[in-house]
Amino acid sequence: MPAFLGNLRPLGAAALLLALALGNVTPGRTAATTLSTREIQRLEDLGRTWVYVDIFDPYLNSNGAEWDQALIEAIPAVRASGDATAYTAALNAMLRRTGDPSARVLEAETNTSTLPPPLRQQNGTWIADCSAMAHAVTTGAAPFQLAENVAAHPTVVDCRGFTGDGPALYAVIAAIAHTRTQTPLPAGSALVRSYNGFPSEAGTSSAGFAAGFSLVSKGALAPGTAAPSKTPLVFIIDNIAGPALLPAVAALQSAGQARIVAGGPIGAGVATLRTPRLTVQISEGLYTYPAGAVGFRPDATATPATVLRKAIAELSASPSAILREPALPPLQRPVRRYKNAGVPSAEQRLLALFRIWGTINYFHAYKSLTDRPWDAALTEFIPVMLAANTRAAYEAALLRLAARTQDGHTRIEGLTDAPFGFSEHRPAIRVRFIEGRLAIVAIDDPTLGAKLRVGDEILSVDNTPIGILEQRLTPFVPAATPQAFRAAIASRILTGPPSTIASLLVRSARSAPHAVRIPRIGAPPPQSAGAWHMMPGNVGYIDLERLAPADADRALDELATAKAIVFDLRGTPQRTGWAIGARLAKANAPFAVAKFRRASYQGPPNNGIAQTQWLALDDIERPAPVKRYEGRVFGLIDERTASQAEHTALIFKAAANATFVGSTTNGTIGDLTGIQLPGGLILRFTGHDVRTPDGRQLQRAGIKPDVAVTSGLRALRAGRDDVLEKALDLARR
């Protein structure tokens, strides 16, 4: 729990806190009684493996594999596995569902056999052994000497079951190429899964995140200067050394310099995931020949018992045909759809956990800013998800997991049986914590004026004290800063089921506590009336929460003669900041608003637990060509200035060096994306890291005011807005 939550009023019993944190978990199978440490660890490694393959394995997009179903079937097999052999078999059975020839759990290498000579004759045929050649290089042999020996005779280069130093073997293969060409040999490419941020599975994102495939070049093999060797050459490759060697060997094949015999399909390159207990390998990409054909195509395939005989026969065959046809396999996976009914099964609940954990792990913009390592959340929530065998417990568990991101953007949508505080219905009033008390700051329904006043303190909701309700909400509320936490609690504490009555215990400045009953309603649409006006002293005022996009230009036109304009950013704007900012610009040149950073991958990261790769972008805006405002600009900010409002503040600062008055903003900024989850739910999270133009962190920090002002209860009850009054005073000077 974040340190800033320590200021909450304590409950009477630690047991109550534990019950609240667990949610409504029905008694039954729990971690304490039935899940061993080994079972949790195995499920953790299963989850890491499944996510890594799900996000990065190229074969999932080309063979129609039902990868969710593969996990659902693997979970009981992993939980039932006894020894390590059975566990590995369960993982490999799942990995085979990908269709990826390289996907497997790597066993510890135990090579006790005696290596043959690097080059030997067998029944009149010259055979070069890859393991022996690599060993020879590591012990001092020159790769070019080995290559010249191979070039002297028709030779089968046998790379089956390779053990040894991979780079040493690649040096030998490159040297063999050196003896067979006087021009560079293109080594082809890998068609890899690529990401420019994480594209939303539910709705769109304003950041333009995208995923697809891209070609990663494998370079070229260097030519030699001597006359090329013309002796026949055949390679035998398998899925041990084959993926790493494939670009070099296929370069020789496509140039008509060698033939290849293989036991089956082979991907282009390998990527490796290492967990604390196992190592998993997948294909980096789909091999693409220099002339455009996608997918490796051996000249011949054979069983292990016949492969050597087949390779010897291939020495007499004609050179390989150059593969030109650029036929692409289908590269679009079906859209995930999950039923919105009841409680998902235990396997589906773990699938939800793995999807959330993995997507956050590889794509969340601010994962490194959490107080507790995100990596640990996977282990922690495996027993929680297995125990969450009701819809209410499942939704509560997902909310707790989302809260671990400590990012107010993270949320679960589609909830049907969520804990207290997650309804969209609330009384037609707005509240805020002021001086540690929950106070009414606005009344949206004029008919409530007979019952309530701005400045009234709410002591309890539905007969439960505010302090207890704070504690109930705490495990489920993701918040980046202390002020963001207070704002989130205030926005949720009055909510309840639709058409219910909120029973409030209210204390005003002049009366004892008294009960008030108010209906809960859905969120009303923004009211644009009075969103802008001229104030005394020739100072304009614009409330950006109420200003409709269609009125932005009109508001600026009508306030064009003001000596200053005060923009109220204490709420969520309606995407007007960009258009307004362009008209506030003081210079004619484009201006830098922010620096962006998003997760970006060109193929799978190796050791892919936490190796997020980042793409940096600059947010540059352009001034409006005409009708720009020339006066001073002020902004009112506090903890309600979040997300789009904070970005709008960045625009105004960059365009017009706006002066900010109030208190530090929420500290929650960035564009959202989302994933689908079992139970018909959606996880939204931040996919864009947004910083100031000079690179300073905004998330979990916020924008500090140029002039600090806080408004107390006394001013609120007197009808004063100290923050606005200070800004007006500065603007009139």
Side-chain angles (χ1 to χ4, degrees):
M1 185 180 296
F4 59 74
L5 301 186
N7 295 326
L8 295 175
R9 301 164 201 174
L11 285 176
L16 179 57
L17 257 182
L18 178 60
L20 294 172
L22 287 175
N24 301 320
V25 177
T26 302
R29 183 179 177 87
T30 65
T33 56
T34 61
L35 282 182
S36 67
T37 299
R38 185 179 72 171
E39 186 175 358
I40 292 174
Q41 289 176 340
R42 286 182 172 181
L43 288 172
E44 176 189 337
D45 287 342
L46 171 66
R48 293 180 189 274
T49 299
W50 182 85
V51 164
Y52 186 68
V53 173
D54 182 58
I55 295 174
F56 296 112
D57 196 304
Y59 282 85
L60 286 181
N61 281 57
S62 59
N63 66 4
E66 295 184 0
W67 190 233
D68 284 3
Q69 185 61 31
L71 174 67
I72 288 171
E73 294 175 10
I75 288 171
V78 166
R79 297 185 72 184
S81 62
D83 58 16
T85 300
Y87 169 55
T88 300
L91 289 176
N92 280 330
M94 180 185 75
L95 291 170
R96 282 194 293 273
R97 295 279 290 273
T98 64
D100 179 352
S102 297
R104 67 182 184 278
V105 177
L106 295 182
E107 307 277 354
E109 292 184 1
T110 54
N111 180 31
T112 57
S113 61
T114 302
L115 291 174
L119 187 66
R120 70 184 190 277
Q121 266 195 309
Q122 181 173 320
N123 298 326
T125 300
W126 289 95
I127 298 173
D129 185 271
C130 288
S131 297
M133 289 193 294
H135 178 72
V137 170
T138 60
T139 55
F144 285 102
Q145 182 60 54
L146 295 169
E148 288 174 0
N149 293 339
V150 169
H153 313 278
T155 304
V156 172
V157 180
D158 188 354
C159 295
R160 290 175 295 165
F162 175 75
T163 58
D165 185 273
L169 176 58
Y170 198 91
V172 175
I173 304 302
I176 290 174
H178 200 75
T179 67
R180 305 189 71 86
T181 179
Q182 290 182 310
T183 60
L185 293 182
S189 306
L191 191 65
V192 301
R193 292 280 297 274
S194 60
Y195 294 89
N196 182 357
F198 187 86
S200 178
E201 297 177 355
T204 58
S205 172
S206 59
F209 300 136
F213 278 76
S214 58
L215 285 172
V216 176
S217 173
K218 293 299 179 181
L221 300 181
T225 56
S229 170
K230 299 296 184 180
T231 57
L233 180 65
V234 174
F235 286 89
I236 304 175
I237 58 175
D238 59 15
N239 274 323
I240 297 178
L245 292 179
L246 187 58
V249 175
L252 290 165
Q253 177 200 30
S254 62
Q257 299 295 321
R259 295 180 67 80
I260 302 175
V261 178
I266 296 175
V270 294
T272 303
L273 169 71
R274 289 185 174 87
T275 79
R277 289 161 292 275
L278 58 81
T279 301
V280 177
Q281 173 183 285
I282 66 172
S283 290
E284 176 193 18
L286 304 171
Y287 182 71
T288 303
Y289 281 91
V294 177
F296 167 61
R297 305 171 197 187
D299 295 287
T301 59
T303 65
T306 63
V307 67
L308 181 58
R309 185 165 64 251
K310 183 64 175 175
I312 292 172
E314 288 292 307
L315 287 171
S316 303
S318 301
S320 302
I322 297 177
L323 298 170
R324 294 187 181 280
E325 61 274 22
L328 281 174
L331 297 176
Q332 185 65 45
R333 291 171 67 178
V335 176
R336 282 180 161 105
R337 302 291 185 195
Y338 299 109
K339 294 181 179 179
N340 184 13
V343 58
S345 66
E347 291 78 17
Q348 290 174 321
R349 298 196 300 271
L350 285 181
L351 187 153
L353 168 62
F354 296 160
R355 290 216 74 201
I356 292 176
W357 178 86
T359 311
I360 296 292
N361 185 61
Y362 289 108
F363 293 99
H364 191 274
Y366 303 117
K367 183 189 70 172
S368 62
L369 300 182
T370 57
D371 292 339
R372 290 181 290 174
W374 178 249
D375 200 57
L378 181 58
T379 306
E380 176 184 336
F381 275 83
I382 285 172
V384 172
M385 284 298 180
L386 288 174
N389 55 7
T390 68
R391 179 75 184 202
Y394 172 61
E395 292 185 357
L398 293 181
L399 288 168
R400 287 182 54 212
L401 179 61
R404 282 287 296 271
T405 65
Q406 294 180 265
D407 179 1
H409 275 156
T410 310
R411 62 180 183 264
I412 305 293
E413 296 178 358
L415 300 168
T416 61
D417 200 2
F420 161 75
F422 286 85
S423 170
E424 297 301 320
H425 293 76
R426 67 198 73 211
I429 60 176
R430 282 174 277 173
V431 296
R432 182 181 175 218
F433 281 100
I434 298 176
E435 298 174 357
R437 290 179 280 182
L438 187 67
I440 298 174
V441 296
I443 299 174
D444 296 325
D445 182 355
T447 66
L448 300 178
K451 299 179 179 181
L452 299 169
R453 294 177 182 273
V454 170
D456 285 354
E457 178 188 0
I458 298 176
L459 303 175
S460 71
V461 180
D462 296 334
N463 301 315
T464 304
I466 295 301
I468 298 296
L469 297 178
E470 289 175 356
Q471 294 282 14
R472 285 186 184 175
L473 282 168
T474 294
F476 307 112
V477 173
T481 59
Q483 63 270 23
F485 178 77
R486 291 192 297 272
I489 294 293
S491 72
R492 297 189 176 282
I493 206 163
L494 302 181
T495 63
S499 303
T500 58
I501 301 297
S503 178
L504 310 180
L505 184 64
V506 177
R507 178 169 57 199
S508 66
R510 298 180 180 178
S511 67
H514 57 283
V516 175
R517 292 171 59 80
I518 311 176
R520 292 184 172 99
I521 62 174
Q527 299 297 318
S528 59
W532 72 93
H533 54 272
M534 192 74 78
M535 302 192 75
N538 194 32
V539 175
Y541 170 84
I542 299 179
D543 183 347
L544 288 178
E545 186 172 43
R546 290 190 289 161
L547 183 69
D551 293 330
D553 281 328
R554 178 184 165 198
L556 288 176
D557 289 344
E558 293 185 5
L559 300 177
T561 60
K563 65 188 298 185
I565 299 179
V566 175
F567 291 92
D568 201 329
L569 285 159
R570 296 172 295 181
T572 303
Q574 300 181 52
R575 302 194 62 79
T576 53
W578 289 265
I580 292 174
R583 290 190 58 179
L584 299 180
K586 302 305 182 188
N588 294 324
F591 51 94
V593 171
K595 287 188 177 297
F596 293 153
R597 195 178 68 153
R598 61 176 70 172
S600 177
Y601 298 94
Q602 299 294 309
N606 273 306
N607 309 326
I609 293 177
Q611 289 187 340
T612 304
Q613 300 167 14
W614 298 101
L615 174 67
L617 303 166
D618 289 324
D619 179 16
I620 306 295
E621 300 295 332
R622 295 182 177 277
V626 295
K627 299 174 65 175
R628 296 213 299 265
Y629 176 70
E630 297 179 356
R632 290 190 295 161
V633 175
F634 293 83
L636 311 182
I637 61 173
D638 61 23
E639 77 280 3
R640 294 168 292 181
T641 308
S643 190
Q644 186 194 143
E646 289 178 293
H647 199 97
T648 301
L650 291 178
I651 295 173
F652 290 1
K653 177 64 80 172
N657 194 26
T659 299
F660 296 130
V661 181
S663 53
T664 304
T665 63
N666 193 282
T668 303
I669 190 168
D671 293 284
L672 297 187
T673 186
I675 62 170
Q676 302 275 0
L677 298 172
L681 303 177
I682 296 170
L683 170 78
R684 304 280 184 201
F685 67 95
T686 307
H688 233 163
D689 180 325
V690 180
R691 297 173 182 258
T692 62
D694 59 1
R696 285 176 289 119
Q697 177 184 319
L698 292 166
Q699 182 79 3
R700 303 209 70 191
I703 300 170
K704 293 185 172 14
D706 300 295
V707 180
V709 180
T710 56
S711 187
L713 267 179
R714 178 177 296 181
L716 183 66
R717 288 168 175 168
R720 298 200 323 269
D721 184 340
D722 288 344
V723 177
L724 175 58
E725 289 179 7
K726 183 62 176 178
L728 292 174
D729 177 59
L730 294 170
R732 290 168 183 149
R733 292 179 187 177

